[in-house]
Amino acid sequence: MPVLERGIVMTLRNILLGATMLCAATTPAFAYAQDAAPADDTATANDADYGNEIIVTASKRSQTLQDTPIAVSVTSAADIENAAIRDLIDLQSAVPSLRVSQLQSSANTNFIIRGFGNGANNAGIEPSVGVFIDGVYRSRSAAQIGDLPNLERVEVLRGPQSTLFGKNASAGVISIVTQKPQYEFGGAIEASYGNYDAITVKGNITGPISDTVAFSLAGNYNRRDGYARDLNLDTDVNDRNRWGVRGQLLFEPTDALSIRLIGDYDKIDENCCIAGNVIAGPTVAITNALAGGPSVDANNPFSYNVYNNFLSTNEIENYGGSAQIDYDLGNLALTSITAYREVRANTNQDSDFTSADLIGQNSQQLGIDTWTQEVRLTSDFDGPINFLLGGYYFNEKIKQKNDIRFGEDFRPYGNALIQAASGGALSVPALEAALGAPSGSFFREGDGLDEAYRLKNTAWSIFGTVDFEVTDRLTLSAGANYTQDRKKFATNVISTDTFSGIDLNDPAFAGFRNQLLLGGALQQAGVNPNDPAAVFAFATNPATAATFQAFQAFANANQNNPAANPLNGLKPFQFLPPFLNLPNSVEPGKTSDNDLAWSVRASYELTDTVNVYATYATGFKASSVNLSRDSRPLASDLAAIGAAGLTTPNLVSGSRFAAPEESEVYEVGLKANWSVAALNLAAFKQSIKGFQSNIFTGTGFALANAGKQSTWGFEFDGSVRPVDGLNLTLAVTWLDPKYDSFVNSAFGDISGTMPAGIPELTMAAGGTYTHEFAGGTKAIFHVDYHYESPVQIVEGLTGLPASVAQNLKREVNQLNASFTVALTNGFELGVWGRNLTNATYLTTIFPAVAQAGSVSGYPNQPRTYGVTGRFKF
């Protein structure tokens, strides 16, 4: 293999600078012993021996992750097999600092590191946690969650990453590496069968085409029946159905030149994701009546029984290609990575999660086209100074079309809400008549919003690091990243919701409001305003005539007073008001950001087995755009919008975009590695100014910047080998997060409070025992346990007291295990189980859509188990 090929580390994107530039604290729970540096650029595992050391090489130098001070957890292919990790959602059970949440569709997955992360539910929001696959940035979750075949390892880098990645990441990075083509013919095929009729097949083959060209082909197929039951539709839901293919060519025409071409395609077509009823509010009685029976499994989210009136759609295609060129210039190495990717997602969901036909359609068609180019120059001098210098370009276009429409039952549902809100005084037909609207026009089936959005994002950055070996034991490092990011966005949203387009404060309705004010006052006095005789008697009786005149005076004085408007109670039912599109004369639909992020590090080798380090680093994420029906002008623009005559009925302020995130971390750590044990300790304070919060309010999402979110934390991971073949591991993360400042949240000023969903204590404990029999057959037993301490799931719930949200907590206790027999001829047979105790918890909760007082939530996946056969050749 060429020298350059041995000198490039794909997972850390060549972030080590030659000497000890990269600082990484590997999770020993997932590191295997290696007697010497590997011949290629990969972190490798000795299948016969579980140990405490994992070797990588960068810039043509071998170095253990244990020797370098960046906080990173490594999960190898063997770990993924033993723990039956099927996708990135399962990975969190192995990496305590990582949390992955599956939200309302297969295209919405949220990644959180050390309590920081966002990006799901809105294509205009870039994630704070960057995901890279074979060095290529995947900008949205729809492009990240496919089941990749032929994995080599997954690395989770914690804290802001800027100076070693062209694409800045304010909270951390997940780097996924697949195996590159080999010049020795080989491959593997794996088949698994489990409960819920789950079938998983994976295969790969690699080998030489010539002395200088190698290839690999890989594919995967993953299907499973639904583990939940829709009792209204009488069918299983939450199934899995996805497949993918991946091809690679490796050209090495000379010892100095290496070209790696990758092309891939994967597709998802499945029904996801159920929401159970956590709290049954007063509207459940209405939806039950409309459905003619149960509309939800009330207050029982873990029954996995749901009621919908149509199945959800999740059709996602993700495909693209990349070319990596590495050229060895002697003491310098030049790397270029060019990539183009497309995502096409078509989703639809019964978003009211009831068997009443309230939301007849909530669909999205999303297209994302992304082109990236990165160039890096890395030195490998014998002297004390080495460097990395790089440039990065990012170009992305997003087209999104949404449709949300009322179902058949929404008109009677809206009528019931209005009658309840008015004490029976009003109804939908009565309102239509009083407000001059055509009969049957309010909450009409098929009405709603037609939405179209466009976003173009271009960004470039220059980044680099310098590494100075002061002594054989002391290394100082510094790095910087200058980024410019520009976004242009446009909307074309049309509302056909007649009721939401009516200004209930309009002077034209003064007479109607006068009548309601007078009628309300009479009712308070015990007089039925709908009984003319009773009203006349009250008005003419000398004892009450003065009171009646006072009532009239009050109604006359307040008929145009918005604060006393008797129709104010109906405004929450104006769900889909007219939309002010942009760009317009006040709002240009543009953002432009720039930032200089930097880092300094010092690492010192106390002994041959103990290192200490200190790091200060900053990170950056550019403005995110609100590509949703909740995109509304900033409060500061409302006056100018009014002056320009652009005001639409019921226009209120909100956000068109969230300002950038700026993060920083102070971190000190100690790493030790002995013959039978290893440990890593890290203490840090990490914060993000302007954290981009995206909270669901029951009818939409509120995108806003928190003033500052921070956390103190400690991370420990250690392993010990008390006897040959036995490896015991423990990884613990403790966090003390808070909103230092968040004045304008969806729930008011929550400054000083603890952000929801971030457990104080997370732990991953495990053990693997390998026994080798005479003749070479091996038996491998693995068990791991994942724990998260109780934590409040959401900051608040719109329309409910704060105490309700405070009492809704999540605690995770998950036990996983596997047992595998590996024969000498390459055959392996094993059994596995995840969540063996069938522990239950809610991953996310939210106010039920248009159902005030009700709360829905996504339950975790129940116990799964199965058998796996594997053949390696």
Side-chain angles (χ1 to χ4, degrees):
M1 300 287 287
V3 173
L4 179 62
E5 186 80 318
R6 297 193 299 268
I8 304 297
V9 177
M10 288 297 298
T11 49
L12 295 180
R13 293 179 43 90
N14 302 353
I15 60 177
L16 298 179
L17 278 183
T20 57
M21 176 65 194
L22 284 191
C23 291
T26 186
T27 302
F30 309 103
Y32 298 119
Q34 185 70 19
D35 295 331
D40 59 19
D41 70 340
T42 63
T44 62
N46 181 344
D47 291 337
D49 190 16
Y50 290 78
N52 305 312
E53 192 172 87
I54 189 166
I55 302 290
V56 296
T57 56
S59 304
K60 297 177 289 185
R61 297 190 182 190
S62 299
Q63 190 174 25
T64 66
L65 289 178
Q66 189 69 31
D67 288 338
T68 55
I70 284 179
V72 54
S73 300
V74 182
T75 308
S76 72
D79 304 324
I80 290 169
E81 289 180 359
N82 290 334
I85 293 173
R86 300 297 178 187
D87 52 30
L88 290 180
I89 297 175
D90 291 340
L91 185 65
Q92 61 187 324
S93 65
V95 183
S97 293
L98 173 68
R99 176 158 187 84
V100 186
S101 297
Q102 178 75 67
L103 301 176
Q104 78 269 22
S105 75
S106 298
N108 283 278
T109 303
N110 204 22
F111 302 99
I112 298 171
I113 294 178
R114 287 179 173 175
F116 299 98
N118 53 23
N121 294 306
N122 192 324
I125 303 176
E126 284 192 47
S128 299
V129 175
V131 176
F132 294 80
I133 300 178
D134 287 330
V136 176
Y137 176 62
R138 302 291 184 94
S139 65
R140 299 297 187 274
S141 62
Q144 299 163 355
I145 62 175
D147 298 338
L148 288 172
N150 205 22
L151 273 178
E152 184 169 285
R153 67 189 181 276
V154 179
E155 297 185 352
V156 179
L157 286 77
R158 306 187 290 271
Q161 306 295 323
S162 58
T163 61
L164 299 164
F165 286 78
K167 187 61 179 176
N168 228 316
S170 59
V173 161
I174 300 172
S175 179
I176 301 169
V177 180
T178 65
Q179 293 180 8
K180 65 173 54 178
Q182 302 295 309
Y183 285 92
E184 181 178 348
F185 182 76
I189 186 167
E190 172 188 315
S192 178
Y193 181 79
N195 59 332
Y196 303 109
D197 201 23
I199 299 174
T200 302
V201 179
K202 293 183 179 182
N204 65 85
I205 187 171
T206 186
I209 296 176
S210 69
D211 291 342
T212 59
V213 181
F215 80 97
S216 70
L217 291 173
N220 63 288
Y221 173 73
N222 187 346
R223 69 154 305 277
R224 182 202 64 217
D225 291 343
Y227 59 77
R229 187 75 180 173
D230 192 314
L231 298 180
N232 186 54
L233 299 175
D234 193 27
T235 186
D236 293 333
V237 289
N238 265 42
D239 65 340
R240 175 152 291 188
N241 183 23
R242 51 185 65 177
W243 62 273
V245 293
R246 186 177 183 83
Q248 300 188 55
L249 285 175
L250 179 63
F251 299 89
E252 296 177 315
T254 70
D255 287 347
L257 178 62
S258 172
I259 302 173
R260 185 184 183 189
L261 304 179
I262 303 174
D264 66 272
Y265 176 90
D266 60 75
K267 184 172 183 178
I268 296 174
D269 184 2
E270 53 197 31
N271 182 279
C272 184
C273 303
I274 68 160
N277 182 262
V278 180
I279 297 176
T283 61
V284 170
I286 303 174
T287 56
N288 286 348
L290 292 172
S295 58
V296 296
D297 191 353
N299 308 310
N300 192 12
F302 301 116
S303 69
Y304 298 97
N305 290 326
V306 296
Y307 296 80
N308 294 293
N309 49 279
F310 65 88
L311 291 175
S312 67
T313 299
N314 293 268
E315 297 175 352
I316 304 163
E317 292 181 290
N318 170 38
Y319 47 90
S322 65
Q324 176 168 338
I325 302 173
D326 296 310
Y327 193 72
D328 188 354
L329 300 172
N331 291 329
L332 297 173
L334 181 65
T335 298
S336 169
I337 302 178
T338 306
Y340 178 78
R341 302 206 58 81
E342 292 188 4
V343 175
R344 299 293 181 263
N346 179 21
T347 62
N348 190 20
Q349 189 175 51
D350 184 6
S351 296
D352 58 84
F353 298 109
T354 74
S355 57
D357 187 14
L358 305 184
I359 306 298
Q361 178 183 357
N362 187 9
S363 63
Q364 180 183 94
Q365 294 176 327
L366 175 65
I368 305 175
D369 300 341
T370 308
W371 177 53
T372 59
Q373 174 64 56
E374 182 168 352
V375 178
R376 297 189 303 271
L377 183 67
T378 307
S379 74
D380 183 34
F381 301 125
D382 292 332
I385 296 179
N386 278 282
F387 68 86
L388 179 149
L389 180 64
Y392 183 82
Y393 178 75
F394 176 84
N395 185 297
E396 184 166 77
K397 295 179 181 179
I398 297 177
K399 294 181 180 179
Q400 178 180 318
K401 187 178 186 305
N402 295 0
D403 290 292
I404 183 167
R405 303 185 186 282
F406 297 139
E408 180 182 5
D409 292 333
F410 203 90
R411 180 174 170 85
Y413 177 71
N415 186 61
L417 295 179
I418 287 173
Q419 286 185 322
S422 65
L426 296 174
S427 66
V428 165
L431 275 177
E432 290 170 340
L435 299 177
S439 177
S441 62
F442 286 179
F443 309 125
R444 181 170 46 204
E445 181 182 4
D447 283 356
L449 279 185
D450 295 320
E451 309 168 57
Y453 308 95
R454 288 177 180 261
L455 169 65
K456 182 178 181 180
N457 182 194
T458 57
W460 61 267
S461 65
I462 298 174
F463 61 100
T465 52
V466 176
D467 183 34
F468 177 51
E469 294 183 14
V470 180
T471 70
D472 290 343
R473 292 186 177 273
L474 176 63
T475 300
L476 302 179
S477 305
N481 180 314
Y482 178 76
T483 295
Q484 280 201 353
D485 184 283
R486 291 184 174 88
K487 294 182 173 72
K488 296 181 180 179
F489 52 100
T491 70
N492 183 17
V493 181
I494 300 172
S495 174
T496 55
D497 176 6
T498 304
F499 181 60
S500 294
I502 294 177
D503 181 3
L504 298 177
N505 292 325
D506 193 322
F509 306 133
F512 181 47
R513 291 192 295 268
N514 188 309
Q515 177 186 344
L516 292 175
L517 287 169
L518 179 59
L522 288 170
Q523 195 167 30
Q524 289 292 320
V527 179
N528 182 0
N530 297 316
D531 184 347
V535 173
F536 178 79
F538 185 81
T540 57
N541 186 337
T544 57
T547 303
F548 179 78
Q549 292 172 359
F551 288 169
Q552 280 187 319
F554 172 80
N556 292 336
N558 288 279
Q559 63 185 12
N560 286 311
N561 178 8
N565 189 343
L567 299 175
N568 283 341
L570 305 185
K571 292 179 180 179
F573 307 137
Q574 295 183 303
F575 299 109
L576 305 172
F579 193 92
L580 177 61
N581 286 302
L582 56 72
N584 54 56
S585 61
V586 177
E587 301 172 295
K590 296 179 181 180
T591 65
S592 180
D593 306 309
N594 62 81
D595 180 80
L596 178 65
W598 56 282
S599 65
V600 290
R601 300 184 177 93
S603 60
Y604 186 75
E605 188 177 342
L606 293 175
T607 70
D608 291 342
T609 58
V610 180
N611 302 335
V612 294
Y613 70 90
T615 299
Y616 173 79
T618 67
F620 172 77
K621 187 178 81 167
S623 298
S624 286
V625 178
N626 196 351
L627 297 185
S628 80
R629 60 181 175 272
D630 302 294
S631 172
R632 296 185 177 95
L634 298 174
S636 56
D637 288 334
L638 286 181
I641 288 171
L646 298 174
T647 301
T648 60
N650 301 319
L651 181 67
V652 296
S653 63
S655 68
R656 298 290 199 182
F657 58 91
E661 293 181 354
E662 296 182 351
S663 59
E664 68 174 2
V665 64
Y666 298 86
E667 184 171 332
V668 294
L670 178 146
K671 300 177 299 301
N673 184 17
W674 301 283
S675 59
V676 297
L679 67 86
N680 299 320
L681 291 170
F684 58 88
K685 182 179 181 181
Q686 187 170 329
S687 62
I688 294 183
K689 292 181 179 179
F691 178 75
Q692 295 170 359
S693 170
N694 191 43
I695 302 297
F696 185 66
T697 62
T699 55
F701 290 87
L703 177 63
N705 289 100
K708 183 179 180 181
Q709 179 182 341
S710 67
T711 185
W712 287 92
F714 296 93
E715 292 169 331
F716 165 87
D717 54 72
S719 67
V720 61
R721 255 188 320 171
V723 297
D724 289 344
L726 177 61
N727 195 48
L728 303 176
T729 63
L730 176 65
V732 178
T733 297
W734 178 84
L735 300 174
D736 182 20
K738 72 173 180 178
Y739 286 122
D740 301 80
S741 174
F742 198 175
V743 176
N744 297 316
S745 83
F747 310 104
D749 187 354
I750 56 175
S751 303
T753 65
M754 178 177 176
I758 306 174
E760 185 177 59
L761 178 66
T762 307
M763 178 181 69
T768 304
Y769 179 69
T770 302
H771 180 77
E772 185 170 348
F773 299 94
T777 298
K778 299 175 187 176
I780 304 170
F781 176 72
H782 171 84
V783 62
D784 63 79
Y785 171 69
H786 176 216
Y787 172 75
E788 294 180 14
S789 60
V791 62
Q792 182 177 326
I793 305 177
V794 291
E795 270 90 15
L797 293 163
T798 303
L800 290 171
S803 59
V804 175
Q806 293 166 0
N807 291 330
L808 293 172
K809 297 182 181 295
R810 177 183 65 237
E811 180 179 10
V812 177
N813 290 277
Q814 182 168 317
L815 180 67
N816 312 305
S818 68
F819 177 74
T820 303
V821 176
L823 305 178
T824 56
N825 59 4
F827 281 101
E828 297 179 6
L829 183 64
V831 294
W832 55 268
R834 294 190 61 83
N835 191 16
L836 288 173
T837 61
N838 210 27
T840 57
Y841 57 89
L842 294 169
T843 61
T844 305
I845 61 173
F846 54 93
V849 175
Q851 299 164 72
S854 288
V855 177
S856 300
Y858 299 115
N860 69 306
Q861 183 171 289
R863 175 172 48 230
T864 56
Y865 51 85
V867 58
T868 297
R870 189 179 297 115
F871 177 61
K872 299 178 180 179
F873 57 93

